[in-house]
Amino acid sequence: MNILLLGSGGREHALAWKLNQSPKLSKLYCAPGNAGIAQVAQCADIQVTDHAGILNFCKNNKISYVVIGPEGPLVNGLADELAQAGIGAFGPSAYASQLEGSKGFTKDLCAEFNIPTAAYKRFTEAVSAKAFLDVMSIPVVIKADGLAAGKGVIIAETREQAEQAIDDCFAGSFGDAGHEVVIEAFLEGEEASLFALCDGQTAMLLGTAQDHKRVGDGDTGPNTGGMGAYSPAPVMTQEMINRTMSEIIVPTLAGMHSRGHPFKGILYAGLMLTKNGPELIEYNVRFGDPECQVLMPRLKSDLLELMLASSEGSLLEHDAQWSDECALTVVLAAKGYPASYEKNTIIEGIEAAEKDGTVVFHAGTAKDGENLFAIGGRVLNVTALAKTVKDAQAQAYEGVNAIQWENGFCRKDIGWRAVAREET
Ligand code: AMP
Ligand code: GLY
């Protein structure tokens, strides 16, 4: 079958790399893609926001299934539009995508179905939001309700900061995402992520991961899309995994099903491991980036077959095989990221980095003739698979050292928590 993959990040390169191994695949297309994806798929210059262009491309290229990488098109109803046109899609409907698209929606679902999460309240104007602060302890968390490219969450350390954050949200700092605000209690613990593949009724555990959101070593500096990740996350013991599945994922699926909007696709649970057990911080309805880059190398089964089973509602008949090894990815970003950075700087040495089982997934790259250029903030994901996180870390940094990119930088300590845990 002909498949169209949508997106242009490291996540989509990892998906393209894995989909390309499927015996079910005839031809893989990607829109818009990047220079790495172009090695395994035919790229088309269509943006993921251009739904009409995507539908047209599907008709002209006999595409029977579309794999939607990022959340934007899911929240905007692309899976529904494709279904109406008789084209299959991997990913949830617009209604079900509210699990990522509206924090208030998810909190209400948690309240209704008794899913552990921080205490909260939703507000549509500032006066009552500020009054609610009277009953909240500090720190307190202020969230813009909608999609805000990972920036709509403020951990306020003082009452003044909390009031300022409320004013900022309603004043439009996060655009439309801030027309509603969720105020919630601050949860203490360690963060980890769990990924489940869902078919509306059944959830299949894909794996766990931890990422490094801050730009600087020692988890310092501003937040980014993620500077590195590893899978599995040693902090997610079998007991934590079982509790997350039974207390969070399964009731979410049952709740969505009972509302008449079954959830199909990836449920990516951002968790806080509190002293009471796992609590839900947030859901995403797609793979994480860079978490996907560490899940795909560990998957031995056919990804396309599993995705199709998720869409068809037949996951119970399937089983996924996973490598026992650990994967770790180091993000190379353009100097200046997450603030402004230079574009069109030259990169060399990717082939040398890919020795011995290391894979380099591309994010913001483009090719001009034989030359590879950086055109984005996060640019490469150097990914290694090994017996321990420590070995995977050493192997990934060997790959990083083989790459010549004057304008690039990376964190030097990806995986520190897991390595420390392995050593105790
Ligand atoms: P989100 O965009 O919802 O993932 O939030 C971004 C980050 O804010 C999370 O990864 C957490 O580090 C932090 N965060 C969000 N909600 C809470 C909470 N209730 N308690 C503590 N930290 C939180
Ligand atoms: N790495 C965080 C995300 O994909 O949302």
Side-chain angles (χ1 to χ4, degrees):
M1 64 199 304
N2 291 343
I3 307 286
L4 172 64
L5 168 66
L6 296 178
S8 59
R11 167 180 54 208
E12 285 76 21
H13 189 188
L15 292 174
W17 173 84
K18 189 66 199 166
L19 287 170
N20 195 45
Q21 298 168 11
S22 173
K24 286 189 152 48
L25 181 74
S26 309
K27 183 154 180 152
L28 181 61
Y29 295 89
C30 183
N34 61 40
I37 295 173
Q39 296 165 359
V40 288
Q42 183 174 324
C43 293
D45 190 15
I46 308 169
Q47 297 307 308
V48 300
T49 45
D50 179 6
H51 293 198
I54 290 165
L55 281 156
N56 241 336
F57 184 87
C58 290
K59 284 176 195 145
N60 295 337
N61 294 280
K62 299 195 170 60
I63 303 289
S64 43
Y65 195 62
V66 179
V67 175
I68 304 171
E71 63 278 15
L74 291 167
V75 171
N76 291 329
L78 182 59
D80 311 71
E81 287 175 45
L82 287 163
Q84 273 160 20
I87 302 161
F90 180 70
S93 65
Y95 182 95
S97 297
Q98 289 179 86
L99 284 173
E100 176 161 0
S102 165
K103 297 193 189 312
F105 175 91
T106 299
K107 298 298 282 188
D108 286 353
L109 188 95
C110 288
E112 186 179 345
F113 297 97
N114 217 4
I115 296 164
T117 189
Y120 77 105
K121 209 162 167 179
R122 305 173 71 168
F123 297 94
T124 51
E125 51 77 37
V127 175
S128 50
K130 288 179 186 172
F132 182 63
L133 294 174
D134 291 343
V135 298
M136 297 298 281
S137 330
I138 295 291
V140 63
V141 186
I142 313 295
K143 298 184 173 182
D145 179 73
L147 288 185
K151 297 187 182 74
V153 175
I154 300 107
I155 315 272
E157 305 282 351
T158 62
R159 167 94 185 214
E160 290 67 39
Q161 276 176 16
E163 295 202 359
Q164 187 63 52
I166 291 167
D167 283 335
D168 289 348
C169 280
F170 287 121
S173 291
F174 306 108
D176 271 357
H179 71 276
E180 187 176 327
V181 166
V182 174
I183 300 182
E184 64 179 55
F186 178 78
L187 295 172
E188 270 183 80
E190 186 168 334
E191 281 182 60
S193 305
L194 180 142
F195 294 83
L197 179 65
C198 305
D199 72 354
Q201 306 227 55
T202 304
M204 174 191 277
L205 173 71
L206 294 184
T208 62
Q210 271 181 313
D211 75 341
H212 294 267
K213 289 194 171 62
R214 304 296 194 100
V215 75
D217 286 355
D219 296 324
T220 54
N223 266 331
T224 69
M227 294 301 290
Y230 45 92
S231 172
V235 70
M236 287 298 287
T237 57
Q238 193 58 51
E239 190 207 342
M240 281 297 158
I241 291 173
N242 293 348
R243 286 191 61 180
T244 304
M245 291 301 284
S246 64
E247 295 170 24
I248 298 179
I249 302 287
V250 170
T252 299
L253 272 195
M256 294 297 286
H257 193 261
S258 74
R259 286 182 175 188
H261 291 281
F263 184 91
K264 297 182 172 193
I266 296 292
L267 259 190
Y268 158 5
L271 304 167
M272 189 68 86
L273 305 176
T274 70
K275 62 177 184 342
N276 301 321
E279 298 200 32
L280 183 71
I281 299 176
E282 61 156 6
Y283 271 132
N284 296 307
V285 298
R286 35 84 191 169
F287 281 107
D289 186 342
E291 290 87 344
C292 187
Q293 292 87 307
V294 287
L295 285 175
M296 289 305 113
R298 296 186 51 235
L299 177 62
K300 292 185 180 166
S301 308
D302 180 354
L303 176 65
L304 182 52
E305 190 176 311
L306 293 172
M307 286 178 158
L308 290 167
S310 142
S311 302
E312 287 159 5
S314 61
L315 264 185
L316 259 188
E317 295 155 31
H318 293 261
D319 208 8
Q321 304 299 318
W322 294 88
S323 158
D324 291 333
E325 294 194 308
C326 307
L328 181 139
T329 191
V330 177
V331 171
L332 284 169
K335 281 180 190 161
Y337 174 80
S340 63
Y341 49 82
E342 217 181 304
K343 284 188 181 175
N344 299 317
T345 55
I346 202 155
I347 303 170
E348 288 174 317
I350 305 267
E351 275 172 26
E354 288 197 313
K355 276 196 325 227
D356 305 328
T358 298
V359 191
V360 179
F361 294 121
H362 294 222
T365 64
K367 230 172 170 183
D368 186 3
E370 280 310 296
N371 292 327
L372 184 68
F373 292 94
I375 58 162
R378 289 190 296 171
V379 173
L380 297 170
N381 305 259
V382 183
T383 311
L385 195 64
K387 286 263 170 295
T388 62
V389 179
K390 190 175 181 183
D391 291 348
Q393 183 190 52
Q395 197 180 312
Y397 280 108
E398 248 174 63
V400 167
N401 290 335
I403 294 172
Q404 290 104 49
W405 178 29
E406 195 115 333
N407 198 50
F409 77 98
C410 66
R411 276 184 59 166
K412 305 287 186 239
D413 62 347
I414 299 304
W416 67 267
R417 263 198 196 86
V419 171
R421 220 170 238 117
E422 277 177 354
E423 282 169 354
T424 56

